[in-house]
């Protein structure tokens, strides 16, 4: 079983484009989001003991959808330069995600294109970006920037701040820092790839620790299955390893998993898999054709 969390520099995305994405993102936060977060932080700190820190994240975010239909021009307060920059960046990230999926196929002994096909529902995969800022927190011992969780989807590509740290992953029961490195992309595996690989790759528990100084930028792009995609372990992997039926991950529609995940995001993932297995009513589809 492998936990995949890797940091890559030779990703093929121009550093000039990444610098522009970072500049535009930080400018947008200062101009359009910082004041609102300051008001939220002030109210939160005033309420003190009334606030449940286990039910709150110290972050400022907005979401962009790229596939199947973009909402880039529907998001208020984004200027044209920022929109065009993010559109170009998303195109490059989509290509990188599909290349990485094929590399995973090669490593797993699956046909090229299998994972991309597995993600395709009626309208293809879903692809979106969470743009986050993690402002300084006066009480990092109380508030996490983002609580510990695994990602629900497929492949996650993270462009993070190169000056302000905070990202940690859980490895062998210990929290390990993921150090910021300029122009790098951090690659993470989500729950759906754990299912498709029948646990050959494990989704990674991670969190963001609040910092007292500096505003951490995080741009996480999620290459996920389509909402109606049927997710199930690759039959080739089951047959090759002669896995007992009791050890096979569940099969389900991605949208059904997401309904459960939304309610249980910050809980352990294993009970979600158990719940999906209990709900199995879908006949296992034939192996996915790749040609």
């Amino acid at each position: 079983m492998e936990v995949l969390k890797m940091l890559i520099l030779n990703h093929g995305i121009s550093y000039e484009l990444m610098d522009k994405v970072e500049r535009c993102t930080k400018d947008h936060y200062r101009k359009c989001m910082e004041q609102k977060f300051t008001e939220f932080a002030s109210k939160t700190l005033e309420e003190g003991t009334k606030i449940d820190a286990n039910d709150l994240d110290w972050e400022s975010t907005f979401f962009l959808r790229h596939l199947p239909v973009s909402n880039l021009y529907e998001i208020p307060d984004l200027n044209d330069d920022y929109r065009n920059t993010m559109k170009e960046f998303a195109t490059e990230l989509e290509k990188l995600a599909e290349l990485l999926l094929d590399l995973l196929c090669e490593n797993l002994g699956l046909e090229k294109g299998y994972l991309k096909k597995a993600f395709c529902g009626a309208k293809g995969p879903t692809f979106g970006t969470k743009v986050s800022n993690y402002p300084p927190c006066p009480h990092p011992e109380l508030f996490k920037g983002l609580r510990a969780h695994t990602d629900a989807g497929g492949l996650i590509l993270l462009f993070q701040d190169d000056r302000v740290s905070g990202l940690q992953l859980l490895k062998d029961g210990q929290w390990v820092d993921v150090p910021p490195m300029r122009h790098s992309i951090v690659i993470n595996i989500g729950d759906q790839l754990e299912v498709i690989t029948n646990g050959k790759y494990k989704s990674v528990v991670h969190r963001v620790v609040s910092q007292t100084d500096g505003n951490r930028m995080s741009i996480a792009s999620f290459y996920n299955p389509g909402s109606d995609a049927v997710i199930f372990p690759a039959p080739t992997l089951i047959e090759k390893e002669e896995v007992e039926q009791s050890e096979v991950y569940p099969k389900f529609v991605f949208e059904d998993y997401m309904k459960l995940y939304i309610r249980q995001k910050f809980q352990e993932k294993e009970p979600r898999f158990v719940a999906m297995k209990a709900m199995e009513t879908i006949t296992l589809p034939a192996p996915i054709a790749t040609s």
Side-chain angles (χ1 to χ4, degrees):
M1 307 297 180
E2 293 188 53
V3 173
L4 180 64
K5 187 99 175 185
M6 60 183 178
L7 186 150
I8 57 176
L9 285 167
N10 58 336
H11 41 63
I13 302 174
S14 82
Y15 292 171
E16 181 180 6
L17 175 58
M18 297 179 79
D19 288 341
K20 188 171 183 181
V21 168
E22 181 174 357
R23 184 170 63 252
C24 288
T25 298
K26 292 183 174 181
D27 285 347
H28 176 264
Y29 175 75
R30 284 192 294 267
K31 293 175 182 177
C32 302
M33 302 184 74
E34 187 172 29
Q35 181 58 38
K36 184 181 293 185
F37 185 85
T38 300
E39 294 170 1
F40 156 79
S42 177
K43 181 180 179 182
T44 299
L45 294 171
E46 283 177 10
E47 294 184 359
T49 56
K50 298 178 184 177
I51 296 294
D52 184 357
N54 292 317
D55 196 33
L56 183 145
D57 300 310
W58 196 266
E59 65 173 353
S60 173
T61 67
F62 66 94
F63 297 85
L64 301 174
R65 184 179 66 249
H66 312 302
L67 295 174
V69 179
S70 174
N71 71 344
L72 190 57
Y73 292 91
E74 300 169 13
I75 305 296
D77 301 324
L78 301 185
N79 61 43
D80 288 343
D81 188 39
Y82 192 17
R83 284 193 174 96
N84 292 335
T85 299
M86 291 304 291
K87 183 177 181 180
E88 183 180 355
F89 189 49
T91 298
E92 294 300 312
L93 287 172
E94 182 184 352
K95 290 189 290 188
L96 177 59
E98 293 178 352
L99 173 62
L100 290 169
L101 287 178
D102 276 342
L103 289 175
L104 290 178
C105 284
E106 183 178 345
N107 190 49
L108 291 163
L110 297 173
E111 292 182 69
K112 182 177 180 180
Y114 182 92
L115 291 174
K116 183 180 177 181
K117 291 276 188 178
F119 280 24
C120 286
K123 298 180 181 178
T126 56
F127 184 47
T129 297
K130 177 185 177 185
V131 181
S132 304
N133 282 271
Y134 297 93
C137 178
H139 294 289
E141 74 282 3
L142 297 178
F143 301 103
K144 290 289 183 292
L146 182 59
R147 289 162 286 165
H149 65 288
T150 61
D151 291 322
L155 196 65
I156 300 89
L157 302 95
L158 170 68
F159 174 31
Q160 65 171 337
D161 201 288
D162 67 326
R163 295 184 179 88
V164 184
S165 62
L167 178 63
Q168 295 182 329
L169 63 89
L170 190 63
K171 181 174 175 58
D172 300 327
Q174 301 292 322
W175 287 106
V176 179
D177 292 326
V178 180
M181 183 178 294
R182 188 161 180 76
H183 296 137
S184 66
I185 299 288
V186 178
I187 307 300
N188 191 16
I189 289 288
D191 294 348
Q192 306 312 299
L193 278 176
E194 179 167 338
V195 171
I196 295 171
T197 66
N198 203 52
K200 183 71 173 177
Y201 286 112
K202 297 282 192 178
S203 58
V204 182
V205 178
H206 56 285
R207 68 182 184 181
V208 177
V209 178
S210 299
Q211 306 292 318
T212 56
D213 298 310
N215 179 37
R216 178 178 178 271
M217 178 199 75
S218 167
I219 301 175
S221 295
F222 301 82
Y223 191 99
N224 291 343
S227 61
D228 62 345
V230 179
I231 303 301
F232 57 95
T236 302
L237 297 181
I238 304 298
E239 296 161 4
K240 185 184 298 184
E241 299 183 6
E242 299 182 349
V243 178
E244 295 290 334
Q245 189 60 36
S246 61
E247 299 174 350
V248 176
Y249 277 67
K251 54 184 180 293
F252 50 80
V253 175
F254 179 54
E255 185 175 32
D256 291 338
Y257 186 86
M258 286 304 300
K259 289 175 182 176
L260 181 63
Y261 178 85
I262 288 169
R263 301 195 303 270
Q264 300 182 1
K265 176 176 179 178
F266 299 108
Q267 300 176 24
E268 293 184 356
K269 63 185 173 182
E270 286 77 13
R272 296 197 293 268
F273 294 148
V274 171
M276 288 291 101
K277 199 169 188 66
M279 293 170 55
E280 282 183 344
T281 57
I282 304 168
T283 301
L284 188 67
I288 296 170
T290 56
S291 60

